[in-house]
Amino acid sequence: MFARTPEPPYWAVIFSSQRTAQDDGYGDMADAMLALAAGQPGYLGVESVRGDDGFGITVSYWASEDAVVAWKAEGRHRLAQAEGYACWYAQLFTRVACVKRDHHWMRV
Amino acid sequence: MFARTPEPPYWAVIFSSQRTAQDDGYGDMADAMLALAAGQPGYLGVESVRGDDGFGITVSYWASEDAVVAWKAEGRHRLAQAEGYACWYAQLFTRVACVKRDHHWMRV
């Protein structure tokens, strides 16, 4: 669902990935990482979706570039990244970006 | 699928949306907008996925902020945006961001 981010500027990590057919606890780990991220300093929210073809986009939002760097280096997250390379992902693209402006709209 | 973006910096438009139940040509318009975007100056690629619950993320990539602004103002795109507000979206969040660094990996 939607992340309730504050006024820009803030940071976004755009993580695009193609899953392998291997499961081996992927769903549990993905859930654990979302929960772990939510407790990190500077965490602002996450939006995530994966299609039936195994291609997914997860965007996490952070208060600062330092918070992005710290999250990448977090110990349990690093273990999860290693398992991702070993098993779960066929291809991935991570992009670190600074959000300059945004626009939210909801039907009333 | 994955966008083959060049070396950063470049720009990303992160478009998160929740669809209504209304169809009325949404799929055709979405396809037409992807094709139209691909012909715009500064277009670098797009990644898009929508889940079964109607929540989707589309990230388009652009060579410059000017290219982002020009795409938002493109005539047929503006008509599509108006139809989106009128019919297709229950909620949306657009974020314009500058990509500072990225990392691509593919299983070999």
Side-chain angles (χ1 to χ4, degrees), chain B:
Chain B
M1 281 309 306
F2 292 93
R4 300 298 181 195
T5 43
E7 287 295 299
Y10 52 87
W11 288 73
V13 179
I14 307 164
F15 177 67
S16 308
S17 62
Q18 179 67 48
R19 287 272 285 110
T20 58
Q22 251 182 297
D23 200 308
D24 291 330
Y26 171 77
D28 288 347
M29 181 65 95
D31 290 346
M33 286 304 111
L34 290 177
L36 182 63
Q40 297 303 301
Y43 172 87
L44 299 177
V46 71
E47 296 173 345
S48 188
V49 55
R50 190 169 301 280
D52 296 331
D53 62 354
F55 182 75
I57 301 175
T58 296
V59 191
S60 59
Y61 299 100
W62 302 89
S64 68
E65 187 169 13
D66 285 350
V68 169
V69 171
W71 167 237
K72 181 176 169 54
E74 198 282 336
R76 285 161 293 177
H77 187 205
R78 287 182 68 147
L79 292 175
Q81 291 168 55
E83 285 206 68
Y85 286 114
C87 301
W88 293 320
Y89 297 118
Q91 190 175 165
L92 59 83
F93 219 130
T94 305
R95 293 173 174 100
V96 177
C98 184
V99 177
K100 305 292 190 176
R101 59 180 187 276
D102 62 16
H103 171 66
H104 180 238
W105 174 83
M106 193 185 306
R107 187 174 299 279
V108 288

Side-chain angles (χ1 to χ4, degrees), chain A residues 105-108, chain B residues 85 89-91:
Chain A
W105 174 84
M106 192 185 306
R107 185 176 299 280
V108 287
Chain B
Y85 286 114
Y89 297 118
Q91 190 175 165

Side-chain angles (χ1 to χ4, degrees), chain A residues 46-66:
Chain A
V46 71
E47 297 173 345
S48 188
V49 56
R50 189 169 301 280
D52 296 331
D53 62 355
F55 182 75
I57 302 175
T58 296
V59 190
S60 59
Y61 298 101
W62 302 88
S64 68
E65 188 169 15
D66 285 351

